[in-house]
Amino acid sequence: MDLSDTPSDAEFRARLREWLGKVLPTLPPPPPPDDWPGRRAHDLGWQRTLYDAGYADVHWAASPAVRMIFLEETERAGAPYVGANFVGLLHAGPTIAAEGTAAQRERWLPPILRGEEVWCQGFSEPGAGSDLASLRTRAWRDGDDYVVSGSKIWTSHAEVADWCELLVRTDPAAPRHRGITWLALRMDAPGVTVRPLRTLAGSAEFAEVFLDDVRVPVAHRVGEENDGWRVTMVTLSFERGTAFVGEVVACRRVLGELAREARRNGRWDDPALRRRLGLLDAEFRALWRLTQWNVSAAAAGGVPGPGGSVFKLRYSHARQELYDAAAEVLGDDALDLDRPWVLDRLSSLSYTIAAGTSQIQRTIVAERILGLPRGR
Amino acid sequence: MRFQLSDDQRALRTGMRELLARRFDREALRAAVGRPGLDRALWRELGAAGFFALRLPEAEGGVGLGLPEAVLVFEEAGRVLLPGPLIATHLAAGTVPGAAEGETVVAAADGGGLLEWRDAADVVLGETEGPGGTEGPGEAEGPGPGEAVALRSVDPLTPLHRVRARGAPDPVAVLLTAAEQLGTATRACELAVEHARTREQFGRPIGAFQAVQHLCADLLARVETARAALYAAAVTSAPADIAAARLLADEAAVRGARDCLQVHGGMGFTWEADVHLLLKRAWVRARRAGGGADAEELLARELLSGAGR
């Protein structure tokens, strides 16, 4: 068991840290959360900066350890979050890299890396959330095109996206997991309508997307027709692998800020509150170590394994606990939307739902890791 | 970063698991419950296998291994609920004659309010204050002159005395306690899953019911999170990492045993099932060295200082 960086990893970390120290002070301040075009421009600008410095493809090309160092160091330095580039860099990009043709990789990957095109994810539907395989958006062949009709929901960045990784049903007669196909949809194609959805935090974080006889060239299909479920699973294992590394670092930073705020406002004298923060610190330390453990295991075994479900289960709950503790530190101010952490507390409520609910994660752990009989 | 067990560490763990399977299987555990007292022959075998001398330098007759290896063997001990003042004797190897070899049984007051295995020990370490006077530091042959008060221990395999121990707990003792807790938590998870796979109700294994599946999933999630925290603490031996490992391992063991009991249903509530032994031992360990409160306060102080970030 060894937690230290290898010499080459240590060199990468030192070089990155030095570069971040130089470049971050020159960045413009982030736009307000509701300014989607501003956020797009900001996030793409950051991606371009990474590209010019040779870090753009760190999520794809690098070893898991290097990827983790990158996420750890950028978060610690306060660099912009991956933001509007999330789907392109962490979902669609890796999927196209793994399953796309040479022409598809040539067409779509460089603009993602250079920060020129934004992708969104068209997986969930009003009737297909956790039960993704029950999706009903239809596509049928018409010459060199698919014609797509249906609707998608919870589509982050839809308003400012250029492309959408879209799951459609191409064979309604096949078993649910079989008749699904993965398409790249141009968001400005005729028949695409985007309607922003307001969240309980008051902001429009994501949107509904309506598809009305939208034509998608067959050339924009990644993988074989009706093989989209397998193609998608490649993507989702990334989401549960290292995608949350930066967030764990961020949560630990927030805990420190909470402690200092509690000392400032006198609540630190309450041992119950102190102990609650101490226990949360233990949890986030452990989650950080679990990430290192999972990444080390993945480095030995290739793709991130189902251990990511264990992490996601604990982390999404712990994050909600963190912001509930923040509310205790804030007291009455926890009801003031202008105070720090109040919006974070609201948005943390999505974590046990998004990217596979906690209940789905538990079922995955029980059936795929523990080998319990399939439930019903 | 290669945060995985090395081949040597795996071999060590396997060796310890095989020794314990041979010498302290389920039958031996149940026999020990019926016949309280320390098995001196087993203690010497542990000594011969290097259990107590594991971290003693080879030049001093030890095995010359480190904290990660000690954590792995104590995890195995916790897995089978091996009784006795294992940690106190391990820590005394090299200072108390005969401890390393398993000839001398050493108990120790650890900064908390309880002393384990006082009457069975040849040597009792640690400064304690009893209601009638002071005991130690140093040695007591058998029941010493101190005024520790026996209580009727909830755990049939851990005799307890009430004491007031002075001095701060040894962080290594806290770390090894966490290792024992992790072993017990792992066992609780295994027992629960085994039962859920085989026990049938309503015409199918209960493990096919989502409510039971989710109990088992949470058991594993606590074990794996605690394991990562524990192994990291063994590598860094930083006080904050040890405190975190302790808290996570206590939770994994105590809640794990409770959930395991729940999965076993009515059978889990009987003396015949082993589940209560897991839970009671987990409770005893969770009270060691000042309990979780000290660990939480330590981490809270660390948050304020901003250290380790």
Side-chain angles (χ1 to χ4, degrees):
Chain A
M1 286 186 279
D2 184 359
L3 283 161
S4 55
D5 290 337
T6 64
S8 76
D9 287 351
E11 198 223 299
F12 175 80
R13 189 191 293 276
R15 205 156 27 88
L16 174 62
R17 199 176 278 189
E18 192 197 331
W19 177 75
L20 287 167
K22 273 203 303 253
V23 76
L24 288 182
T26 70
L27 289 190
D34 267 349
D35 175 9
W36 274 98
R39 281 172 69 175
R40 177 191 154 108
H42 187 78
D43 296 346
L44 288 180
W46 172 238
Q47 182 61 27
R48 180 71 205 195
T49 307
L50 289 172
Y51 180 84
D52 290 339
Y55 292 115
D57 63 347
V58 71
H59 302 288
W60 302 353
S63 71
V66 163
R67 204 152 63 226
M68 199 160 91
I69 291 169
F70 176 81
L71 291 164
E72 184 187 359
E73 291 296 328
T74 47
E75 176 55 47
R76 191 168 285 166
Y81 182 57
V82 64
N85 294 307
F86 185 89
V87 173
L89 280 173
L90 301 178
H91 284 250
T95 305
I96 293 163
E99 301 286 332
T101 62
Q104 289 172 335
R105 293 200 296 269
E106 179 84 358
R107 165 62 189 89
W108 284 313
L109 301 186
I112 292 174
L113 292 180
R114 289 194 299 257
E116 290 162 5
E117 289 184 344
V118 166
W119 284 68
C120 62
Q121 186 184 71
F123 286 7
S124 298
E125 297 182 8
S130 290
D131 184 12
L132 184 56
S134 70
L135 64 90
R136 289 209 305 242
T137 291
R138 278 279 285 126
W140 54 92
R141 280 287 281 270
D142 181 26
D144 290 336
D145 290 341
Y146 287 100
V147 180
V148 182
S149 271
S151 71
K152 295 288 172 178
I153 197 166
W154 321 130
T155 312
S156 306
H157 318 305
E159 291 168 82
V160 294
D162 305 286
W163 293 92
C164 176
E165 50 166 350
L166 189 72
L167 288 184
V168 295
R169 186 162 297 285
T170 33
D171 183 358
R176 301 165 359 109
H177 292 79
R178 296 283 164 74
I180 293 171
T181 299
W182 197 106
L183 300 176
L185 164 78
R186 277 203 74 97
M187 289 300 283
D188 61 1
V192 177
T193 310
V194 174
R195 191 172 75 86
L197 270 174
R198 203 162 172 224
T199 72
L200 53 72
S203 60
E205 273 302 310
F206 36 52
E208 281 181 286
V209 178
F210 299 96
L211 304 157
D212 189 11
D213 285 342
V214 180
R215 299 189 81 86
V216 177
V218 172
H220 290 183
R221 182 190 74 212
V222 172
E224 295 303 309
E225 186 169 289
N226 297 330
D227 194 29
W229 184 260
R230 189 190 58 77
V231 173
T232 303
M233 287 305 120
V234 172
T235 323
L236 288 184
S237 67
F238 280 91
E239 185 167 27
R240 290 166 197 161
T242 52
F244 294 101
V245 167
E247 298 197 25
V248 174
V249 178
C251 284
R252 297 196 58 203
R253 196 187 58 222
V254 169
L255 258 182
E257 289 166 6
L258 284 180
R260 286 186 287 280
E261 170 64 18
R263 190 175 54 177
R264 198 193 59 75
N265 70 19
R267 288 195 169 80
W268 192 250
D269 297 336
D270 173 6
L273 176 69
R274 278 200 313 268
R275 290 186 54 184
R276 186 172 173 183
L277 295 180
L279 185 59
L280 273 167
D281 185 55
E283 178 77 24
F284 283 108
R285 276 174 192 270
L287 285 168
W288 178 243
R289 299 312 191 180
L290 182 61
T291 307
Q292 292 177 318
W293 183 263
N294 287 343
V295 164
S296 294
V303 202
S309 285
V310 167
F311 174 85
K312 207 264 177 187
L313 192 54
R314 287 291 288 212
Y315 169 69
S316 54
H317 180 70
R319 187 181 172 101
Q320 291 171 0
E321 295 280 308
L322 169 67
Y323 287 108
D324 278 350
E328 190 162 324
V329 171
L330 286 170
D332 289 345
D333 285 347
L335 302 179
D336 177 355
L337 285 168
D338 287 330
R339 296 286 307 195
W341 304 313
V342 179
L343 280 174
D344 296 308
R345 186 186 188 202
L346 288 169
S347 64
S348 76
L349 294 168
S350 74
Y351 273 73
T352 47
I353 301 169
T357 65
S358 291
Q359 285 65 39
I360 292 291
Q361 304 296 348
R362 286 191 181 95
T363 300
I364 291 173
V365 169
E367 294 180 0
R368 295 199 209 152
I369 306 183
L370 292 174
L372 288 175
R374 283 187 68 83
R376 9 179 297 168
Chain B
M1 188 184 66
R2 286 181 310 279
F3 188 33
Q4 294 284 304
L5 265 53
S6 69
D7 290 344
D8 285 349
Q9 288 169 336
R10 274 179 229 280
L12 175 72
R13 184 177 63 180
T14 306
M16 183 51 60
R17 189 170 296 184
E18 284 167 359
L19 167 74
L20 291 173
R22 210 165 49 239
R23 270 307 263 113
F24 198 73
D25 61 2
R26 179 170 188 273
E27 255 173 67
L29 170 71
R30 298 307 305 208
V33 172
R35 171 182 38 75
L38 202 63
D39 182 346
R40 290 278 182 156
L42 173 56
W43 207 257
R44 281 187 207 99
E45 272 185 65
L46 288 171
F51 186 90
F52 301 116
L54 194 74
R55 291 186 306 123
L56 211 56
E58 285 177 73
E60 294 169 40
V63 188
L65 293 174
L67 272 183
E69 287 77 19
V71 156
L72 292 175
V73 300
F74 274 84
E75 187 185 333
E76 291 305 315
R79 214 165 152 274
V80 298
L81 296 180
L82 192 64
L86 298 162
I87 294 174
T89 305
H90 175 94
L91 291 174
T95 51
V96 173
E101 296 78 20
E103 297 295 334
T104 310
V105 176
V106 182
D110 63 1
L114 295 167
L115 172 59
E116 299 173 25
W117 288 98
R118 176 182 181 274
D119 293 346
D122 305 309
V123 176
V124 179
L125 299 177
E127 252 182 295
T128 62
E129 296 168 32
T134 304
E135 179 175 18
E139 305 189 3
E141 294 296 326
E147 296 299 326
V149 179
L151 54 88
R152 213 156 63 83
S153 174
V154 66
D155 176 12
L157 290 171
T158 311
L160 292 172
H161 281 74
R162 213 185 291 281
V163 295
R164 217 174 306 144
R166 291 195 293 224
D170 183 336
V172 174
V174 176
L175 180 74
L176 297 180
T177 293
E180 289 184 311
Q181 292 287 58
L182 179 69
T184 296
T186 308
R187 186 77 191 119
C189 186
E190 288 167 357
L191 283 177
V193 169
E194 193 180 301
H195 189 74
R197 268 207 205 108
T198 49
R199 166 77 172 166
E200 291 198 6
Q201 293 275 270
F202 305 100
R204 70 176 69 102
I206 60 171
F209 293 103
Q210 201 170 64
V212 176
Q213 287 190 336
H214 288 193
L215 274 176
C216 293
D218 283 337
L219 272 160
L220 183 76
R222 287 192 291 262
V223 164
E224 291 308 312
T225 317
R227 181 183 309 285
L230 175 69
Y231 291 177
V235 171
T236 68
S237 66
D241 281 336
I242 292 175
R246 192 245 160 95
L247 290 168
L248 273 288
D250 280 350
E251 186 207 20
V254 172
R255 294 237 8 225
R258 284 178 70 138
D259 286 354
C260 178
L261 196 150
Q262 181 69 22
V263 169
H264 278 74
M267 273 181 277
F269 190 66
T270 66
W271 188 266
E272 279 67 34
D274 296 340
V275 188
H276 69 106
L277 298 173
L278 299 177
L279 179 59
K280 290 164 177 174
R281 188 72 65 84
W283 277 345
V284 167
R285 296 193 201 109
R287 289 302 314 159
R288 278 188 197 155
D294 282 3
E296 286 166 354
E297 289 282 8
L298 186 151
L299 289 167
R301 280 197 303 277
E302 195 91 359
L303 275 177
L304 262 195
S305 73
R309 224 145 285 265

